[in-house]
Amino acid sequence: CPLAGAGRRAEACRCFREALGFDSPNPLILCNLAETLWNDNDRVQALDTCELALGADPRFVRALVLKANILVEEQRVTDAYGVLQVAANIDPHHLEVLLGLSRVLELLHRPGEALLCADSALARDKTNAAALRRKGWLLLKLNRPLEAISYLDDTLAQDRNDVEALRGKGLALLAVGRRDEAVDVIRAAALVDPGNILVRQALQLVE
C-alpha cells in the first residue's frame, strides 16, 4: 500500500481492514496489514495478523518470514527458527528465508551454519546487499576480518551510508590493526546515524 510506504501507517491499516471486508480472509492483505502493524511497533497485533494470514494459507512464505522476524524481536529465537524451517521446506531457495535462517542461526550461536545460509543466499543473488553484509559480519565473528572487509566493501559499493556495513568494516579494520582507518569508518557511520547506540559503542572501542 503506498500509504504505508509514505509513513501514513494508520491510514494504511484502515485501508487494509476495509479491503478485508470485501475479500476475507485474504492472506496477502492480512500479511500487508501485519507488516504495517509491525513497522508501527505493534508486535502483538502483527503476530496475531500473521497467524490469520497463515490460517488462510499455511504455505505463504512471506507470512512465515514475517512471523519469524517478529518472533526474533520478541526474543523467541528458537520459535523463529522453527517457523523458518517450515518456510525452507516449502521454498528452500527463497532469499528471505535463507537470510532469516542465517540471522537466527547466528543468534543461536551457530555461526558456521549461519555462514552456509548466507553463502546460499549469495548463490541466488551475488549482488544482494543484505546477503553481502550478513556474510561480512559472520566472517568477522569467525575471526576472518580481511575477508569480512571485502564483503562489507561490496555492500558499501551499493550504499556508502549503510550503517551496519560501516560499523562492521570499522571493527574489522581494528581487528587487523588499522586503527586510524577504523576510526574514520566508524565516524562516518556516526554521521549517518548519530543516535545509534551500537555505533557509539564501536566508536568508543576504536578511539
Side-chain angles (χ1 to χ4, degrees), residues 9 13 17 30-47 49:
R9 295 187 184 121
C13 286
R17 288 187 172 110
L30 285 164
C31 192
N32 287 338
L33 175 58
E35 190 166 23
T36 302
L37 289 164
W38 179 44
N39 289 332
D40 208 30
N41 295 315
D42 190 346
R43 292 197 293 266
V44 173
Q45 282 283 87
L47 197 55
T49 308

Side-chain angles (χ1 to χ4, degrees), residues 67-139:
K67 179 180 177 181
N69 287 336
I70 298 168
L71 288 170
V72 168
E73 286 196 358
E74 293 280 291
Q75 299 184 4
R76 295 168 57 185
V77 180
T78 302
D79 291 340
Y81 181 51
V83 171
L84 287 167
Q85 284 182 308
V86 172
N89 286 333
I90 296 167
D91 187 352
H93 305 298
H94 193 287
L95 189 64
E96 293 302 319
V97 173
L98 291 167
L99 289 173
L101 280 170
S102 178
R103 179 188 180 197
V104 167
L105 285 165
E106 180 187 359
L107 292 170
L108 291 171
H109 309 292
R110 295 158 63 179
E113 294 171 77
L115 184 61
L116 289 175
C117 288
D119 282 334
S120 295
L122 285 170
R124 298 289 295 167
D125 182 357
K126 65 182 180 180
T127 63
N128 183 271
L132 290 166
R133 185 194 314 109
R134 170 134 290 281
K135 181 163 183 178
W137 266 103
L138 287 166
L139 287 167

Side-chain angles (χ1 to χ4, degrees), residues 1 3-4 8-20 32-33 36-37 40:
C1 178
L3 290 171
R8 295 160 62 184
R9 295 187 184 121
E11 294 174 70
C13 286
R14 186 172 66 251
C15 176
F16 291 136
R17 288 187 172 110
E18 288 175 357
L20 287 169
N32 287 338
L33 175 58
T36 302
L37 289 164
D40 208 30

